[in-house]
Amino acid sequence: MNGFASPAARAAFIGVLPKAELHLHIEGSLEPEMMFALAQRNGVKLAFSSIEAIRAAYDFSNLQDFLDIYYQGMAVLRCEQDFFDLTAAYLNRAAADGVRHVEIFFDPQGHTVRGVAFASVVGGIARALAEERGITSRLIMCFLRHLPESEAEKTLDEALPFLPFIHGVGLDSSEVGHPPEKFARVFARARSLGLKTVAHAGEEGPPEYVWQALDVLKVDRIDHGNRALEDTALVERIANDGLTLTVCPLSNLKLCVVDDLASHPLRRMLSAGLQATVNSDDPAYFGGYVNANFIAVADALDLNRAEIISLVRNSFTGSFLSAADQARHLAAIDACAAGE
Ligand code: HPA
Ligand code: ZN
């Protein structure tokens, strides 16, 4: 028994639970409609002739397939207003899913390489985050791991005047061939500046990359982490350290990290004592925002009430919110669960 009368009752419960989203690339929330509108506004030529053609191109067999299209798509983002509009649209969508707190990734190198000012990127995102919507936020600047560490160092230099708006650094883009240790120095400097650290690891890369994220980068959280399950000593380490994994079911499906959601490792992670969470990664590209991720994986694995409550609790305890704020959100989850 999963504790619900029907899948629809479970979906309704998921819908009303307060939740935090900890793994969301703001550039990955660029819906085809906005991509088209911004291309027109900014006079950027798109490789696609229609919104349907864009959606049809979202058929990926691995991470790199997706990244090639993702970097093309973000070319329509040119000025501060574009980053504001993008972020505001995501926040409005997240609010409808019961998201109360969000920790947003952005990829400054994907923009500065095209001549977009760092200030326009951070300024537009931060202006939208500052609007009152009942959602608190943190901003995490990712380094593109396919580029040299020296480029990440320059990006951290550029970020220095904006550190009041930036809470942490992360590591994303093409994983295999770009191990976390490549970024040991820039992560050490980020930590010395008081920034939190996270890294994508074990999405396509081997368990060794997750070990490096922990031991070399000393991360506060692991993004994805699916392949950690291949190494029992690593699972024990992550469980003992109480580290949170930001898991992204529909992303894993679209990028062929899993063959189908019925074989998704989410339940195995929870059973192994790992603090897993559910997130949307790049919702415009992967077919759904956070509730769609929750519902799809809950249906495929027949997640029960206790598992769903654990997942939303983990989303707050794994966040960079203060202990007092986390406690407030956990109490709201308890109240919501009791009211059912
Ligand atoms: N993995 C790595 N890099 C990314 C992703 C992802 O899922 N999304 C955006 N950049
Ligand atoms: Zn990601």
Side-chain angles (χ1 to χ4, degrees):
M1 276 302 291
N2 61 29
F4 297 101
S6 64
R10 178 168 53 204
F13 181 60
I14 288 168
V16 298
L17 279 172
K19 53 189 74 76
E21 178 149 54
L22 305 180
H23 186 154
L24 180 281
H25 302 263
I26 198 64
E27 297 89 347
S29 71
L30 178 60
E31 292 286 350
E33 288 78 6
M34 186 178 284
M35 194 188 294
F36 242 77
L38 292 182
Q40 276 195 335
R41 185 159 100 186
N42 293 328
V44 174
K45 206 165 158 30
L46 280 179
F48 304 101
S49 57
S50 67
I51 287 166
E52 292 69 38
I54 299 180
R55 286 223 158 83
Y58 294 174
D59 182 22
F60 316 114
S61 25
N62 54 41
L63 174 59
Q64 194 58 51
D65 270 2
F66 156 67
L67 290 169
D68 292 343
I69 295 237
Y70 169 77
Y71 294 121
Q72 260 182 293
M74 67 173 78
V76 303
L77 300 164
R78 301 245 27 126
C79 53
E80 198 257 12
Q81 187 66 39
D82 303 337
F83 288 92
F84 172 87
D85 291 345
L86 176 70
T87 308
Y90 163 70
L91 291 170
N92 290 338
R93 189 62 193 71
D97 275 8
V99 172
R100 303 286 171 83
H101 175 70
V102 62
E103 305 199 345
I104 290 187
F105 294 135
F106 72 113
D107 284 326
Q109 290 160 290
H111 311 299
T112 52
V113 70
R114 302 181 286 107
V116 176
F118 195 100
S120 301
V121 180
V122 178
I125 298 172
R127 183 158 65 87
L129 294 177
E131 288 189 329
E132 186 45 59
R133 274 189 190 81
I135 301 183
T136 54
S137 63
R138 301 282 187 265
L139 191 53
I140 300 175
M141 176 174 81
C142 283
F143 301 122
L144 298 184
R145 69 202 301 162
H146 67 275
L147 298 176
E149 188 184 36
S150 56
E151 293 295 323
E153 291 280 14
K154 278 190 217 157
T155 302
L156 184 54
D157 290 338
E158 269 188 289
L160 293 176
F162 302 95
L163 288 190
F165 301 103
I166 298 172
H167 205 77
V169 298
L171 190 62
D172 66 1
S173 193
S174 324
E175 185 180 10
V176 174
H178 303 285
E181 66 184 6
K182 176 177 164 187
F183 296 91
R185 289 134 299 252
V186 72
F187 266 66
R189 183 155 73 99
R191 287 199 314 277
S192 75
L193 290 165
L195 292 163
K196 297 284 190 187
T197 58
V198 300
H200 284 53
E203 181 184 17
E204 287 187 344
E208 171 59 19
Y209 285 20
V210 182
W211 281 111
Q212 286 184 18
L214 299 175
D215 291 334
V216 182
L217 303 187
K218 303 188 193 326
V219 293
D220 297 293
R221 206 158 66 201
I222 295 281
D223 297 311
H224 295 294
N226 297 45
R227 293 196 58 193
L229 292 185
E230 295 169 23
D231 181 337
T232 48
L234 179 57
V235 169
E236 230 170 84
R237 165 75 183 279
I238 297 170
N240 288 340
D241 286 3
L243 273 192
T244 297
L245 303 182
T246 63
V247 181
C248 306
L250 290 176
S251 164
N252 291 161
L253 184 64
K254 282 291 274 186
L255 301 188
C256 304
V257 168
V258 295
D259 294 334
D260 54 38
L261 283 182
S263 54
H264 194 278
L266 185 65
R267 167 174 284 125
R268 278 181 281 137
M269 290 169 167
L270 291 175
S271 305
L274 302 182
Q275 311 284 313
T277 61
V278 172
N279 306 273
S280 67
D281 206 2
D282 301 281
Y285 292 89
F286 300 150
Y289 287 77
V290 68
N291 280 357
N293 274 269
F294 259 106
I295 292 166
V297 76
D299 285 348
L301 299 179
D302 194 24
L303 293 183
N304 64 36
R305 203 181 159 83
E307 288 168 324
I308 289 165
I309 291 172
S310 292
L311 289 164
V312 291
R313 289 181 69 88
N314 292 346
S315 73
F316 290 107
T317 57
S319 75
F320 296 137
L321 284 169
S322 70
D325 284 337
Q326 289 184 19
R328 191 167 48 76
H329 288 294
L330 295 180
I333 290 172
D334 290 344
C336 184
E340 277 284 304

